[in-house]
Amino acid sequence: MDCVYERALFEVGSDGKFQKQFDVFFNFVFASLWAMAYNNIILALVILPHTCQIPQDSNNNDDPYLMSKFIPIVNDSSGKILYSSCLIYKNPEKSNLTKGCDTYSYNQTWYGSTVPSSYNWVCDDEIKVANIFAYSKIGEVVGSIIFGWFGDISGRRITYIISLGLLISGRIISIVTSNSYTIFVIGCVIAWFPSWSTVQSVTVISMEISAPKRRSLTATYRAIAYSTGMCLMPLLYWWLRDWRPFMIATTLTQLPYLIFSWKMLESPRWLFVKNKKEMCVKELQRIARTNNAKLKPETKQEILKTTIINEDHVLGPLSLFLGRNLAINTILQLYLWVAVSLSYMVLIMSSGEKANGNPFLEFAWQSIVEIPATFVGAWLADKIGRRYTGSVSYILSAIMWTLIASKETGNETSWVHNWWIGTTLVLVNRFSATVCYYVIYLLNMELYPTCLRQSGMSLGNLFSSGACAIAPYLLYMGRRIDSRIPGVVLAITSFFGVLASLYLPETLNVKLPETVTEAQDVRRNVTYISLKLKSSKLHKKSINKGQEEE
């Protein structure tokens, strides 16, 4: 069924100038800018260090005498003794009775303003920040279902356009109406409603117009682009200092891509599977022109005459659970999404709140680490296979979270409390999380069939969003109850990620499945060595066949 399309793709070029330009323009430049627009709300919602405003002298909140006179001393969730950030003495001259702050004084060493500092979403109202993330991620859950189905039914291009439009609209709503908590939340939900469908659509198109050997390269482009955007984003905030101009600047970068979205290529593989043969030929010829190649007339006629009977769309995403092998693969991948997303979200949210150093540089350093992590992930994925790379990364993450949790106990003078120990643990953890993401993206692309590939990716986003909705509450419990809670929970989830990775089948150099039936036949007991041998034989056979046809 897929032979004619594969032959057509070989003729027009599956590793030519078109694929390279598409990857640079969309999977790198666009993905970098999109990462800033998608994640800018994380930094905008950072809760700044704060205390009650001392009534006698608003300019001396750092004066030790006034602090000790007006602000009570308390123990935080890790047992440290410090000044309360939410209480002030009612009448320090007469009693030790306390009350909540009337006004707040914020540490503006690094941030000029954030949304919580602008509207005092701190102390008892701090839960509002966690709720914003939770509501937004719930919106992502719903959006993942809708846009995953929509992308496989209506096409990759229209999904890209609608998703990008919603992201821009949602951010504009939040910026303009931030004085209303309800409308601000609605804007956040709209922006995150399409989830990752925008950038995912272009990645899927790239995967479906490229040779198998380019799949890893495309994933590398995408991962490096995301890390680049995450690195530039805090530096831009550091320069602008205030949340509103920061969000405007990062959101406006998306407008040119929306304006020129009509030039986006539709996946010819998707068009072929959906029996839209004339459009498929048109897009293939578009690729051929850029690659200085030509689609043979006989191949074109064969494409036009081929009719594919495909009933996979009837059940939609439920088809991903048809058959024992496919169902197990789907469940395992969904758990991997949960494990890495929860870990990653906690890492990036906590890095933006660093009070003992420059939070912007901390955020940037962690993001820079993702770039070498991507190359290492790509190298390992091609050398030892996808599942072994994933299992090593998850076990490294489990170890890091265990050490981070243990760091919250014991004497502050012990070696584990050295600043460089904490920084190293976080950087290594971010490194391993990046490799985990890289592997799960590859597995999603290579285990799901064409007719359900975007549904499968969006189902992963659904569970990823659900996990991210838990992250702010996990941090909230760490701040309010026990600082060890995030580390313990994430160490356990990462450990089970190791087991899930090991039980998945290897997909290195395996042909992309076109139908649910083919996806069900992916074998779990295929070894890395046998895949390398099989890939080598198939490559030689393909070359010989191409020479005979010429």
Side-chain angles (χ1 to χ4, degrees):
M1 184 273 285
D2 59 316
C3 294
V4 61
Y5 176 80
E6 296 295 342
R7 187 165 69 252
L9 188 60
F10 176 79
E11 291 174 5
V12 302
S14 57
D15 190 16
K17 184 179 178 181
F18 186 94
Q19 284 81 4
K20 294 172 184 177
Q21 289 180 346
F22 190 91
D23 274 343
V24 170
F25 190 70
F26 286 103
N27 283 311
F28 184 75
V29 177
F30 170 69
S32 299
L33 298 174
W34 173 88
M36 292 194 286
Y38 178 80
N39 291 295
N40 56 17
I41 194 66
I42 295 174
L43 287 180
L45 287 174
V46 163
I47 297 174
L48 302 184
H50 56 277
T51 57
C52 294
Q53 182 67 56
I54 295 174
Q56 289 189 351
D57 191 337
S58 60
N59 295 320
N60 285 311
N61 251 63
D62 294 329
D63 187 301
Y65 171 73
L66 292 177
M67 287 289 288
S68 60
K69 180 179 179 181
F70 287 96
I71 309 297
I73 294 176
V74 297
N75 290 338
D76 69 0
S77 60
S78 63
K80 296 179 183 177
I81 300 175
L82 40 71
Y83 288 110
S84 173
S85 59
C86 300
L87 298 175
I88 191 171
Y89 290 120
K90 287 184 177 180
N91 192 337
E93 305 290 345
K94 297 182 180 180
S95 70
N96 289 331
L97 295 177
T98 60
K99 65 175 183 176
C101 302
D102 295 322
T103 57
Y104 294 90
S105 174
Y106 293 95
N107 185 335
Q108 295 180 311
T109 303
W110 303 110
Y111 292 87
S113 70
T114 62
V115 181
S117 71
S118 298
Y119 301 103
N120 292 326
W121 295 346
V122 293
C123 297
D124 290 341
D125 284 336
E126 184 179 324
I127 194 67
K128 286 184 176 181
V129 176
N131 288 338
I132 289 173
F133 283 112
Y135 298 148
S136 300
K137 290 300 178 180
I138 291 171
E140 269 196 342
V141 169
V142 178
S144 294
I145 299 173
I146 294 174
F147 282 94
W149 166 83
F150 187 78
D152 284 327
I153 295 298
S154 301
R156 313 328 190 186
R157 180 169 56 187
I158 188 64
T159 303
Y160 159 83
I161 295 170
I162 295 175
S163 300
L164 187 56
L166 287 174
L167 173 61
I168 296 171
S169 301
R171 288 289 181 255
I172 292 174
I173 290 172
S174 294
I175 294 168
V176 174
T177 62
S178 57
N179 58 326
S180 169
Y181 177 76
T182 301
I183 301 179
F184 183 89
V185 172
I186 291 173
C188 292
V189 172
I190 292 174
W192 273 0
F193 183 75
S195 187
W196 288 51
S197 297
T198 312
V199 72
Q200 224 164 56
S201 297
V202 299
T203 303
V204 169
I205 291 173
S206 184
M207 291 280 190
E208 294 178 343
I209 63 172
S210 300
K213 66 179 181 179
R214 280 194 62 86
R215 298 202 298 252
S216 179
L217 180 61
T218 297
T220 303
Y221 266 117
R222 160 83 175 273
I224 292 175
Y226 186 83
S227 302
T228 301
M230 293 291 281
C231 179
L232 294 175
M233 182 176 69
L235 301 180
L236 183 61
Y237 205 146
W238 189 10
W239 177 48
L240 296 173
R241 286 187 56 83
D242 295 314
W243 72 269
R244 190 173 276 107
F246 163 71
M247 287 191 66
I248 292 172
T250 49
T251 301
L252 288 180
T253 60
Q254 305 297 287
L255 278 177
Y257 282 90
L258 182 62
I259 294 171
F260 293 101
S261 59
W262 60 274
K263 290 187 175 183
M264 166 68 72
L265 176 86
E266 180 56 273
S267 168
R269 184 185 291 270
W270 177 84
L271 293 169
F272 180 77
V273 170
K274 292 298 180 180
N275 287 310
K276 300 183 178 183
K277 303 304 167 50
E278 291 184 359
M279 293 179 64
C280 174
V281 169
K282 181 180 178 181
E283 299 292 36
L284 285 171
Q285 290 174 335
R286 178 179 172 184
I287 296 173
R289 284 193 296 272
T290 303
N291 289 341
N292 292 320
K294 185 178 181 181
L295 183 65
K296 293 181 179 180
E298 55 270 26
T299 305
K300 174 182 175 181
Q301 290 302 316
E302 191 173 348
I303 290 176
L304 295 174
K305 292 179 180 178
T306 303
T307 300
I308 298 174
I309 301 174
N310 189 353
E311 297 179 354
D312 294 339
H313 67 277
V314 174
L315 294 178
L318 291 178
S319 298
L320 295 170
F321 297 92
L322 290 176
R324 182 175 180 272
N325 274 358
L326 185 55
I328 291 175
N329 291 344
T330 299
I331 292 170
L332 292 175
Q333 288 181 90
L334 294 179
Y335 181 80
L336 293 179
W337 274 112
V338 169
V340 69
S341 299
L342 183 58
S343 179
Y344 188 81
M345 191 67 174
V346 169
L347 284 170
I348 63 174
M349 289 184 68
S350 57
S351 65
E353 297 178 354
K354 288 288 182 181
N356 56 349
N358 188 326
F360 303 116
L361 288 181
E362 181 78 20
F363 200 102
W365 298 148
Q366 291 186 29
S367 300
I368 288 175
V369 166
E370 294 182 0
I371 296 177
T374 299
F375 285 108
V376 171
W379 180 77
L380 287 175
D382 285 339
K383 290 296 180 182
I384 65 174
R386 282 45 163 150
R387 61 175 183 156
Y388 290 127
T389 301
S391 61
V392 170
S393 302
Y394 278 102
I395 198 168
L396 183 61
S397 184
I399 294 171
M400 292 303 104
W401 281 118
T402 301
L403 294 174
I404 288 172
S406 64
K407 185 175 177 292
E408 298 297 330
T409 62
N411 194 324
E412 281 193 36
T413 60
S414 64
W415 66 275
V416 296
H417 288 277
N418 290 330
W419 68 268
W420 62 271
I421 293 292
T423 299
T424 301
L425 293 178
V426 171
L427 290 177
V428 174
N429 212 344
R430 190 75 171 261
F431 186 98
S432 61
T434 302
V435 177
C436 291
Y437 261 128
Y438 183 88
V439 171
I440 190 61
Y441 275 125
L442 279 180
L443 288 171
N444 271 216
M445 293 291 184
E446 297 173 341
L447 284 174
Y448 291 136
T450 299
C451 52
L452 291 168
R453 189 162 291 125
Q454 193 141 343
S455 290
M457 290 293 289
S458 293
L459 188 62
N461 285 338
L462 185 154
F463 279 77
S464 172
S465 300
C468 289
I470 299 172
Y473 294 110
L474 205 57
L475 287 171
Y476 180 81
M477 289 190 291
R479 286 193 292 261
R480 297 294 176 179
I481 301 174
D482 192 320
S483 59
R484 295 168 294 182
I485 290 176
V488 171
V489 171
L490 292 168
I492 294 172
T493 56
S494 297
F495 173 75
F496 282 105
V498 178
L499 303 180
S501 296
L502 288 174
Y503 200 65
L504 280 168
E506 186 54 71
T507 59
L508 176 62
N509 292 326
V510 172
K511 183 184 75 66
L512 290 178
E514 299 292 348
T515 65
V516 169
T517 302
E518 290 181 12
Q520 288 170 346
D521 291 337
V522 176
R523 292 180 294 163
R524 196 172 309 284
N525 59 350
V526 176
T527 64
Y528 166 75
I529 294 176
S530 65
L531 279 172
K532 291 290 285 184
L533 292 173
K534 181 179 178 182
S535 174
S536 178
K537 292 177 180 178
L538 288 174
H539 182 63
K540 290 179 180 179
K541 184 177 179 181
S542 175
I543 293 175
N544 293 334
K545 183 177 179 181
Q547 291 174 345
E548 290 174 1
E549 290 179 351
E550 290 178 356

